[in-house]
Amino acid sequence: MDAARATLLEGQNEVLRLVAAGVALSVVLDRIARLCERALPRGLCSVLLADADLKLRHGAAPSLPPAYCAAIDGVQAGPGVGSCGTAVAERRLVVVGDIDAHPYWRDYKHVALAHGLRACWSACILGGDRRALGSFAVYYREPREPANWELDVIDGMKDLAAIAIERHEAQQRQATLIADLREQQGRAEAAAQRLRVSEQRFRDLTEASSDFYWEQGADLRYTFLSAPSLGMLGIEPATLIGQTWRATLPLGMSDDAMRAHDDDLQARRPFRDLRFHRVDAQGRLHYLSINGVPVLDPATGAFLGYRGTGRDISDEARTVETFRAMIDAIPAMINAKDLSGRYVLMNAYQAKLYGTTPAGAVGRTSGELLGQGYGSYTSDIDRRVIETGQSTGFFEEAYAGVDGVKRNWLTAKLPLKDVRGQVQHVISIAMDITAMKATEQELRASQNALSRAIVELQQSDRAKSNFLASMSHELRTPLNAIIGFAEVMAKEMLGPLGSSRYKEYADDIYRSGRFLHDLISDMLDMAKIEAGRRDLSLEPIDPGAEVLETVRMIAPRAEAGKVAVETELTQAPVSIEADRRAFRQILLNIASNAVKFTPEGGQVVIAMDRDDRGRPRLRVTDTGIGIASHQIERLGRPFYRIEDPTQASTEGFGLGLALTKSLVELHGWSIGFDSELGRGTVVTVTMG
């Protein structure tokens, strides 16, 4: 036993030498575990380190299976969490003689038993401040309870581990402190370097900037002015040092503005964009703007003076003057108001109508200039622009200026926003449209008169159509009698007339009567269509059969003129909904025209098929005289005729094609003409 104690003591001394030498904690803890295993044969030692949240991390376990060490690494210490978790949580020694039977190992024994571990004695490693640093444990592969001397060995080993861990933590704190000190030193050196760079940057900017910088003491006399910028303005800074602002003779400021600035200085208030003029040594006028803030002692708050910047705004001021001249030249009202409704800008055109000047309008309201009635009205519109941030668009308004003359205006109001998108001003533009409104009223009166004339014309046109319809009906009744009697006489139905000349006269009367009858019929049909009295009686018809009937009807004339008439009918049956009489008239008029205008030896083809959309289509093609392009657009107008230059005159009054076009459109169909002068014409009727 004495030899064992001597070996243990020698081992402890060796560990302490390693700790003093600053050897890595993992090496020291491994040496402690091995020392314990020599003192406790068959024991398997483990050191777990507790972090701030009492999660247990692997420290050393030279003889335990690595898979087991990995399985318990990071476990959260707590009561009933195995031997080590409970020991750390409760800061005491926990002895478990049989892992399989002990309740502390209920949720973890499957891990231990899988690696052949049956007993675990664990002690909490405590620091000098009674803080749990981890656990020191001894495992056995068989169930067993410790003897007192074995517990003494564990107690000594966990104290030795506590020394090593606390020494390691102290070294870490020392290293962190040294690193912090070095970092602070580095930051201080970097700050000093930045300060040097900043000072150099300020000097560079002062020399390169178009602005100038200035400082005043507590007596409001200049103590510093940046030289380069003032030099460009023809001002020698040295001549201003020790002088007050007033002593530098600023120009272009009113007495009120001067007093207001003096009040700011006496009250130690900051100021911005104070504008004035100066004349340089060469007599050139410069517009200047300066800003300033009071400088106070950080410790006492005592006033030390002013510090600020200034810049030459001559170009800007001249641009403003140009802009001012430009808007004053525009024959429209242009103004800007602030959020309180007071004018900050008004052009000369508006100022004259408002009985003031552009400068006199600044700071005043619409109500003050034109009365509260108008002021309240326009202020409501301005308020909507401010609240919505949206322009009004152009709107019309009417009111009188100070001269009492009421004028009409086309006005628009829009918001003027700052860089943050906040409305700062309301801009108004108004154009005098009084003359335009008068012209508009005159135009409206003319339009009304024109509308009345159109109505009267339409009424006259309907009266004409009604008259023609009535007249044609009255004419056809006696005309039918004339035609009938002429036919009886021409055919000598009641016996010979005597002289052959009587028969010729009777033939002439018959032909003339038929011609006049057809003309009156066409006029009657046109009149009915125009009067809206031509109704369609729709029924299913076979257009192919109607084509053949039409060919039969025009055959005598075609034969007389030696014109060949052919048909091309689709094999598939075609049926349409149409007024039979109207469809025959359409066919007959188109086919008759084709024969009439086709010279001897020519050809007329009447085709019935479907177009590429499957709609029924009638096509009449001839090789006649053709139609000039400028005449095609006039086809279908009543009484418009195409003359045949090869004949002295062409019979007809130009109603046939007009009637045909009207009947086609009355069905909801379309008609088209394709023709080339001297080559022929194609007339297409699309039904659908």
Side-chain angles (χ1 to χ4, degrees), residues 675-686:
S675 185
E676 185 176 349
L677 198 61
R679 301 193 56 136
T681 302
V682 179
V683 180
T684 304
V685 177
T686 303

Side-chain angles (χ1 to χ4, degrees), residues 595-642:
V595 171
K596 180 167 60 175
F597 290 102
T598 299
E600 184 177 324
Q603 182 185 46
V604 173
V605 178
I606 305 175
M608 190 70 206
D609 59 5
R610 292 182 182 274
D611 66 5
D612 53 3
R613 292 169 57 183
R615 297 175 299 181
R617 177 176 61 182
L618 169 68
R619 291 165 59 88
V620 179
T621 306
D622 66 60
T623 58
I625 62 174
I627 307 170
S629 58
H630 68 278
Q631 293 179 308
I632 290 180
E633 63 181 16
R634 287 181 279 182
L635 291 177
R637 297 180 184 176
F639 305 107
Y640 180 75
R641 298 193 306 163
I642 301 296

Side-chain angles (χ1 to χ4, degrees), residues 90 96 184 279 297 337 364 593 687:
E90 298 180 358
V96 174
Q184 291 177 10
V279 179
D297 187 309
K337 297 177 187 175
R364 302 174 71 182
N593 273 351
M687 292 161 274

Side-chain angles (χ1 to χ4, degrees), residues 382-391 414-417 421 423:
D382 293 339
R383 190 177 305 109
R384 287 197 297 272
V385 173
I386 294 170
E387 291 173 353
T388 64
Q390 301 293 322
S391 63
L414 58 152
L416 183 63
K417 302 178 182 179
V423 177

Side-chain angles (χ1 to χ4, degrees), residues 39-87:
L40 302 175
R42 300 193 314 279
L44 309 174
C45 292
S46 165
V47 180
L48 296 178
L49 303 176
D51 61 17
D53 298 325
L54 294 186
K55 286 187 177 181
L56 303 180
R57 302 294 182 183
H58 176 73
S63 301
L64 283 174
Y68 176 74
C69 295
I72 65 172
D73 186 48
V75 69
Q76 178 68 53
V81 181
S83 300
C84 298
T86 304

Side-chain angles (χ1 to χ4, degrees), residues 256-578:
D256 289 343
M258 294 280 274
R259 282 193 294 272
H261 182 57
D262 286 339
D263 290 344
D264 285 339
L265 295 179
Q266 294 303 320
R268 312 306 189 230
R269 289 191 292 262
F271 58 89
R272 186 171 185 82
D273 198 22
L274 179 68
R275 298 191 173 200
F276 57 93
H277 307 160
R278 278 193 62 89
V279 179
D280 64 18
Q282 287 73 38
R284 294 173 300 186
L285 182 66
H286 295 275
Y287 296 82
L288 303 178
S289 170
I290 62 172
N291 308 308
V293 294
V295 181
L296 305 177
D297 187 309
T300 64
F303 176 67
L304 301 179
Y306 269 90
R307 180 180 297 148
T309 63
R311 62 191 180 97
D312 183 356
I313 59 170
S314 299
D315 291 341
E316 176 186 327
R318 293 188 181 99
T319 299
V320 170
E321 290 177 352
T322 302
F323 173 74
R324 175 89 253 178
M326 181 180 68
I327 66 169
D328 283 345
I330 296 175
M333 295 195 299
I334 301 174
N335 69 72
K337 297 177 187 175
D338 61 20
L339 299 183
S340 65
R342 297 190 176 276
Y343 289 105
V344 297
L345 172 71
M346 180 184 288
N347 71 341
Y349 180 89
Q350 182 174 357
K352 182 179 180 180
L353 291 172
Y354 279 42
T356 185
T357 63
V362 174
R364 302 174 71 182
T365 66
S366 301
E368 292 171 354
L369 294 173
L370 287 188
Q372 290 306 316
Y374 173 73
S376 298
Y377 155 76
T378 193
S379 294
D380 288 342
I381 302 175
D382 293 339
R383 190 177 305 109
R384 287 197 297 272
V385 173
I386 294 170
E387 291 173 353
T388 64
Q390 301 293 322
S391 63
T392 61
F394 281 101
F395 63 93
E396 293 184 14
E397 56 181 348
Y399 58 89
V402 294
D403 57 3
V405 178
K406 188 173 182 179
R407 297 176 176 84
N408 297 96
W409 301 96
L410 183 63
T411 304
K413 292 177 179 285
L414 58 152
L416 183 63
K417 302 178 182 179
D418 60 18
V419 294
R420 299 170 299 169
Q422 301 296 316
V423 177
Q424 298 299 319
H425 297 90
V426 177
I427 308 298
S428 298
I429 302 172
M431 294 175 287
D432 187 349
I433 58 170
T434 306
M436 185 187 304
K437 293 294 289 184
T439 303
E440 181 182 315
Q441 291 176 355
E442 295 173 0
L443 180 59
R444 188 177 295 113
S446 299
Q447 288 175 335
N448 292 337
L450 180 60
S451 297
R452 289 194 296 271
I454 291 173
V455 171
E456 292 173 359
L457 182 60
Q458 290 172 340
Q459 291 173 345
S460 298
D461 187 59
R462 283 195 294 271
K464 179 263 299 181
S465 298
N466 291 333
F467 169 74
L468 287 175
S470 299
M471 184 192 70
S472 299
H473 178 74
E474 296 298 328
L475 286 174
R476 281 202 297 187
T477 300
L479 188 59
N480 284 332
I482 293 171
I483 294 171
F485 290 137
E487 185 178 13
V488 169
M489 294 171 64
K491 294 181 179 180
E492 298 179 318
M493 293 180 181
L494 301 179
L497 297 177
S499 173
S500 62
R501 298 288 296 277
Y502 291 145
K503 186 176 185 302
E504 292 177 7
Y505 294 155
D507 286 336
D508 290 340
I509 293 171
Y510 177 77
R511 285 194 299 272
S512 298
R514 290 302 309 174
F515 177 77
L516 186 57
H517 182 276
D518 291 343
L519 174 61
I520 291 173
S521 295
D522 287 348
M523 291 179 63
L524 180 59
D525 285 341
M526 283 295 298
K528 285 183 177 180
I529 291 174
E530 290 179 353
R533 291 162 50 187
R534 178 65 162 90
D535 296 324
L536 298 178
S537 179
L538 300 179
E539 60 177 302
I541 65 173
D542 180 359
E546 298 298 330
V547 168
L548 296 175
E549 177 63 20
T550 300
V551 171
R552 186 188 65 77
M553 294 173 66
I554 65 172
R557 179 163 189 168
E559 291 171 0
K562 296 183 179 180
V563 175
V565 179
E566 298 180 2
T567 60
E568 293 180 0
L569 304 178
T570 180
Q571 295 297 321
V574 176
S575 178
I576 61 173
E577 287 280 332

